[in-house]
């Protein structure tokens, strides 16, 4: 009997574990080129909705530079963190910044990030940044940074097609060491919204319900949780 075990989720953020599909293949290729010291590319900008794989690719790039590298998320900073931002970025082998759309819009932080970018780029060090929208749609960036981001490689990630979403469901199940029946995955694709966030949340709900109720993950359980009638009740 299949059991839903409350196992820790330990996805390995490297290129080998990245789920490649039509909607993200270009981003994967560009990320590998940036991480390859034999390539001349030094600048990459990734954008797309939450859950599409931007963070995974940034983490995969970071792994290629060893333990001294890390991805810095703009979630970590507030309007008072200018000095801390600069200090954290100073000694890194690559500038890898995630959630750029969440950078607080204060002039000091805009300038700090622009100066960090300029220093890394001028020194010929790899730079990769990610956000949920193209550079020109991010109002919190310094104008100089916005224009520079368009000089390098730019890739949009989109995993909203059914094939990509099916692969994502399989990845979520694999991370939890759970076998998800094909019929359950296929049915979920027909009833869930097409955005990745809804898909991830639905999978979490399904796994948690199976654990708490000590039931197998079946089509019947999925229908109880996500059928329109269950939502109305």
């Amino acid at each position: 009997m299949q059991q839903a075990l409350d196992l820790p989720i330990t996805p390995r953020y490297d290129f080998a574990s990245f789920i490649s599909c039509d909607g993200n293949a270009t981003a994967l290729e560009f990320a590998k080129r940036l991480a390859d010291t034999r390539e001349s590319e030094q600048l990459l900008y990734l954008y797309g909705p939450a859950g599409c794989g931007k963070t995974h690719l940034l983490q995969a790039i970071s792994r290629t530079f060893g333990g001294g590298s890390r991805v810095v998320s703009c979630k970590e900073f507030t309007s008072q963190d200018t000095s801390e931002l600069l200090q954290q970025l100073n000694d890194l082998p690559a500038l890898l910044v995630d959630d750029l759309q969440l950078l607080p819009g204060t002039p000091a932080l805009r300038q700090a990030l622009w100066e960090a970018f300029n220093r890394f780029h001028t020194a010929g060090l790899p730079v990769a940044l990610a956000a949920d929208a193209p550079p020109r749609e991010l109002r919190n960036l310094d104008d100089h940074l916005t224009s520079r981001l368009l000089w390098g490689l730019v890739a949009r990630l989109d995993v909203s097609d059914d094939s990509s979403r099916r692969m994502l469901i399989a990845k979520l199940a694999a991370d939890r060491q759970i076998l998800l029946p094909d019929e359950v995955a296929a049915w979920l694709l027909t009833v869930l919204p097409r955005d990745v966030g809804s898909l991830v949340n639905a999978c979490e709900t399904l796994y948690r319900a199976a654990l708490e109720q000590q039931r197998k993950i079946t089509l019947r359980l999925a229908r109880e949780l996500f059928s329109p009638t269950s939502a109305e009740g």
Side-chain angles (χ1 to χ4, degrees):
M1 175 178 175
Q2 174 192 348
Q3 294 290 333
L5 303 177
D6 195 15
L7 297 173
I9 303 170
T10 55
R12 182 179 176 86
Y13 290 120
D14 56 21
F15 291 126
S17 64
F18 187 78
I19 303 173
S20 180
C21 59
D22 290 343
N24 61 28
T26 298
L28 175 60
E29 177 190 350
F30 285 176
K32 287 182 175 179
R33 288 171 61 181
L34 187 80
D36 189 342
T37 57
R38 297 168 297 180
E39 293 278 352
S40 60
E41 301 295 346
Q42 298 173 340
L43 176 58
L44 171 63
Y45 183 82
L46 303 172
Y47 72 98
C52 66
K54 304 185 300 295
T55 298
H56 189 134
L57 288 179
L58 289 180
Q59 294 288 356
I61 293 170
S62 179
R63 287 177 65 90
T64 66
F65 294 109
S69 178
R70 79 180 188 93
V71 177
V72 178
S73 171
C74 289
K75 294 178 181 178
E76 303 174 27
F77 303 109
T78 67
S79 58
Q80 279 71 47
D81 285 330
T82 306
S83 60
E84 292 184 21
L85 172 61
L86 290 174
Q87 183 177 357
Q88 290 188 36
L89 297 179
N90 274 340
D91 300 321
L92 297 177
L95 179 62
L96 306 173
V97 181
D98 201 2
D99 305 303
L100 202 56
Q101 75 278 2
L102 300 181
L103 181 74
T106 60
L109 270 175
R110 290 182 186 179
Q111 182 66 21
L113 184 59
W114 159 242
E115 291 177 359
F117 170 90
N118 198 42
R119 183 173 63 81
F120 275 80
H121 192 56
T122 301
L125 297 173
V127 176
L129 301 97
D132 63 358
R136 295 193 185 282
E137 294 183 16
L138 301 180
R139 298 181 179 180
N140 291 345
L141 299 186
D142 182 277
D143 290 341
H144 297 89
L145 178 56
T146 298
S147 62
R148 294 298 192 280
L149 291 178
L150 298 174
W151 288 7
L153 301 173
V154 178
R156 177 176 183 265
L157 290 82
D158 182 2
V159 294
S160 61
D161 61 283
D162 284 347
S163 175
S164 300
R165 294 163 75 226
R166 187 184 294 274
M167 295 173 72
L168 178 59
I169 289 177
K171 176 64 164 55
L172 292 169
D175 287 344
R176 292 154 180 78
Q177 302 180 36
I178 292 174
L179 292 177
L180 187 71
D182 289 341
E183 65 177 4
V184 176
W187 184 81
L188 287 174
L189 293 179
T190 67
V191 298
L192 295 177
R194 303 199 68 82
D195 65 284
V196 176
S198 295
L199 180 61
V200 173
N201 291 336
C203 289
E204 293 287 354
T205 299
L206 179 62
Y207 303 145
R208 182 58 58 184
L211 174 68
E212 293 176 350
Q213 299 178 31
Q214 291 296 296
R215 296 170 59 183
K216 294 197 302 182
I217 296 178
T218 63
L219 186 56
R220 178 177 179 179
L221 177 61
R223 284 174 170 163
E224 290 176 8
L225 294 171
F226 303 113
S227 291
T229 53
S230 65
E232 294 170 1

